[in-house]
Amino acid sequence: MAELVPFAVPTESDKTLLVWALSPGPTAEALQLSLFTVFSRFGLLYSVRVFPNAAVASPGFSAIIKFYSAGEAQRAQKACDGKLLVQASPVKVRLGTRHKAVLHHTLPLTSSRCQELANYYFGFQGWSKRIIKLQELSDLEERENDDLVVPLEKPSLKFFCAVEVVLPLYECRSYGVGIAEETLEEGPLTFLMKRKAAQKHAIQRALSDAFQKLCIVVLESGKIAVEYKPSEEMEDVENEEHDLIQKFWLQVTHKTELWNISGVT
C-alpha cells in the first residue's frame, strides 16, 4: 500500500515514537544527539525531544521522536525496541498512542524543512526553484493611493513573491505565493536590513506555499511518485493583496489545467 508524505508538520501517532527507560547518565543534549544518530538511520526525522522523568518516577529520561514517514517509524520501532541503543541496558520503543477524538490541524513546513524533505526523497538534483516575481507592495500602494490620507503609523516594507518549484523527473511544476511585511525603524542601515528581511521572508513563504501543493507518494516497491493538488490562492491575506494574487493565479491556471488534462501530477 502506498504512503502519502505531505509537506506538513507530522502530528500523526503512527509517525511518532515514544522512547523510555533511558538512563540518567548522559545529559539531555548528549542523549538527544545519540538518539538522532540511531533513529535517522531508518529515515528522515522531523524532531527528537528528550524529557527528564517525572519526580515520582525513577531517575532518567524519555524521548519523543517524530518521522515524516509512518512506514519508517514502524520499521524503527520494530528494530529498536528492547535493544541496547545508547546505553548498556535495553530501551523501550513504542508507536504513539492514537487518540481518535483529537483532530490535528495541519501545519505547513517551513521553507527550510520543505527543502530538506525534497532533498531526501528527490535528491539535490531532483528539483529546482525559480523566483518568478518579487514585488514591493508598499511602493505600489503609494502610487495607487496618492490622494488618500494615510493614518499616522510606523511605515513598513511589504513584499510579494511568486515562485515555481519544478520536478523534472515527474514533469511537475508547482507555484506558490508569499507576502511578508517589516516595520521600518529610523536609520539607513535599518532600512536596508528590513528590506532584505522582508524579501527573504516573502521568498520563504512562497516556497513553502508551493510545496504545500505537492505530496510525496511512497510506493510499496520503494519508488517515489508525486501528487499535485493546486489551490486557488493564499489564505488569510489582506484585501489589498487579493487582486494581485488573483492576477498571478490567472496567469498560471491555464498551464495547471494542461498538466491535469495530460495526467501529469
Side-chain angles (χ1 to χ4, degrees), residues 135-141 158-160 179 241 244:
Q135 180 175 332
E136 184 175 352
L137 298 182
S138 48
D139 289 343
L140 176 64
E141 293 169 3
K158 186 183 296 185
F159 277 87
F160 166 84
I179 295 173
E241 290 114 26
L244 180 60

Side-chain angles (χ1 to χ4, degrees), residues 44-63:
L44 185 63
L45 303 181
Y46 173 75
S47 65
V48 176
R49 294 186 294 165
V50 176
F51 307 92
N53 291 342
V56 296
S58 59
F61 296 92
S62 58

Side-chain angles (χ1 to χ4, degrees), residues 136 138-139 141-142 150-158 181-187 190-191 194-195:
E136 184 175 352
S138 48
D139 289 343
E141 293 169 3
E142 288 176 4
V150 180
L152 295 177
E153 58 182 12
K154 286 187 177 181
S156 63
L157 284 173
K158 186 183 296 185
E181 184 175 9
E182 291 285 336
T183 302
L184 291 176
E185 304 291 342
E186 295 184 1
T190 302
F191 174 83
K194 292 289 186 177
R195 181 181 178 86

Side-chain angles (χ1 to χ4, degrees), residues 11-13 96-104:
T11 57
E12 301 89 340
S13 60
T97 304
R98 183 179 298 276
H99 297 284
K100 295 183 179 180
V102 178
L103 296 178
H104 296 286

Side-chain angles (χ1 to χ4, degrees), residues 233-237:
E233 60 180 86
M234 282 183 62
E235 297 180 355
D236 302 327
V237 297

